[in-house]
Amino acid sequence: MSRWLTEAVPRGRIAAFRTVIYLFVAADLVIFTPWVRTRVSVPGDLYQPLLVGRLLPLPTPTPALVAVIFWLLLLLTLLAATGRAPRLLGWAVCALYLEWMIIAMSYGKVDHDRFGLLVALAVLPTAGRARHGDTTRTEAGGWALRVTQLAVICTYFLAAWAKLRFGGLDWLTGSVLARAIIRRGTDLADLIAQVPYLLIVAQFGIVAFELFSPLVFLLPARWRLAMVGFFYSFHVVTIATITISFAPHLAAMTSFLPLERVRPVVWARRLAGRNIPGSTSADVDTGSPPPDQERVGAGADRTQLGDQAPVVGRPAGP
């Protein structure tokens, strides 16, 4: 079990995942949850903090407190996305975003799609330093990704458990999706609702998919990615029909993906290199190798390389 929990992954995957998570937090502040700043206009008597807010305890939100958290969190998140000071900035972002969520969810509604994201913010500082494109493997980073994956799958499984616990079998055979379509459905949802019994079948399918979601950990790597792709497609359909977004959950679910293969900066340099007369792919992609690569490749016969660029993450040499 310990080997599975700490399965080593490339440091480049940790660097990419860290960038995705912290950039999403910045986007969340200005796109998805800017309404949290309006909570300060609500009378303080209506603030009923979550259990964690009562245990710490945390102060009742004020305009000054919320403004400080917003701007400080936005600044630190953008800095953390660069990978600098991963522990110091990581813990600061985790603490500030937790307080942001406590304020958001202490007025009567708690969104379960934040669980995976909060866990990711809590474990990323433990992964240590990581550089984009680094192929060196790290068990600490593997543990951070695995814990986030477990949180993502628990979100699905526990959602099904809650449906059956509080709604019983009536959740499966009732009008849950029909009510959702009436409240916030799209034209596509209206078309689907016209098909007899299709919404009932969909409700059975949703619960089955959530209950069996832990099977993703038993699949081979290729099939695991295919199942994660199905998870994403499920949320695409959800947004397209009843306009419910699980954006924080989708960001945390990137912990399943080989993000180290996504190198937009390298791709942009390659594209720019094709448009610059006299430039080569080697000029664009590699640049000056890191010092450790210079030492390893110092004795290599560079005349044998020709125009061949060294592989990213490996020292120059045959």
Side-chain angles (χ1 to χ4, degrees):
M1 176 61 72
S2 61
R3 179 179 299 179
W4 179 78
L5 284 173
T6 60
E7 183 179 357
V9 298
R11 291 185 184 274
R13 184 177 304 181
I14 299 300
F17 182 64
R18 176 178 289 146
T19 299
V20 168
I21 292 300
Y22 289 137
L23 287 182
F24 176 82
V25 171
D28 184 55
L29 293 175
V30 298
I31 297 175
F32 299 106
T33 59
W35 48 266
V36 176
R37 302 176 71 182
T38 67
R39 288 289 188 258
V40 297
S41 62
V42 178
D45 295 340
L46 298 180
Y47 176 70
Q48 301 294 327
L50 304 175
L51 177 61
V52 62
R54 298 193 299 270
L55 292 177
L56 291 180
L58 297 173
T60 300
T62 63
L65 176 64
V66 173
V68 168
I69 293 175
F70 176 84
W71 290 110
L72 186 59
L73 181 56
L74 184 60
L75 174 62
L76 294 182
T77 298
L78 293 175
L79 290 175
T82 66
R84 292 180 174 85
R87 290 183 175 85
L88 177 62
L89 292 176
W91 290 123
V93 169
C94 179
L96 288 171
Y97 190 75
L98 177 61
E99 168 64 357
W100 184 258
M101 284 292 99
I102 291 174
I103 295 174
M105 307 301 168
S106 294
Y107 291 88
K109 180 178 182 292
V110 179
D111 296 331
H112 68 285
D113 63 344
R114 303 275 164 175
F115 179 58
L117 179 64
L118 286 169
V119 170
L121 291 175
V123 297
L124 269 176
T126 69
R129 294 187 177 275
R131 186 179 59 185
H132 289 274
D134 190 352
T135 58
T136 306
R137 292 186 170 268
T138 166
E139 290 187 352
W143 179 83
L145 289 183
R146 186 69 78 197
V147 171
T148 304
Q149 293 170 1
L150 288 170
V152 168
I153 298 304
C154 283
T155 301
Y156 286 132
F157 185 82
L158 295 178
W161 176 258
K163 291 180 178 69
L164 296 177
R165 177 187 176 189
F166 296 104
L169 295 179
D170 289 339
W171 198 100
L172 300 172
T173 59
S175 56
V176 177
L177 290 181
R179 289 197 300 268
I181 291 174
I182 292 173
R183 289 178 54 208
R184 52 193 305 166
T186 64
D187 293 338
L188 176 61
D190 292 338
L191 292 175
I192 294 175
Q194 297 175 15
V195 180
Y197 301 106
L198 182 56
L199 295 183
I200 300 298
V201 172
Q203 288 169 185
F204 273 91
I206 289 172
V207 172
F209 137 66
E210 291 175 336
L211 285 176
F212 289 103
S213 59
L215 293 178
V216 70
F217 294 117
L218 303 179
L219 299 176
R222 180 177 299 179
W223 288 103
R224 186 183 308 127
L225 288 178
M227 190 168 182
V228 172
F230 169 76
F231 293 165
Y232 275 106
S233 66
F234 167 78
H235 291 288
V236 169
V237 174
T238 301
I239 295 173
T241 53
I242 54 178
T243 61
I244 294 179
S245 171
F246 285 79
H249 178 80
L250 300 182
M253 198 156 59
T254 59
S255 57
F256 282 98
L257 305 180
L259 295 176
E260 72 277 10
R261 301 178 187 176
V262 182
R263 304 292 305 281
V265 175
V266 173
W267 298 342
R269 288 175 178 173
R270 286 177 180 172
L271 183 61
R274 294 185 185 133
N275 297 330
I276 300 176
S279 65
T280 64
S281 60
D283 297 331
V284 176
D285 293 345
T286 58
S288 300
D292 56 340
Q293 293 186 8
E294 290 180 351
R295 291 194 297 270
V296 175
D301 186 1
R302 298 184 182 275
T303 59
Q304 297 178 0
L305 292 176
D307 295 332
Q308 180 182 359
V311 177
V312 175
R314 296 178 57 189

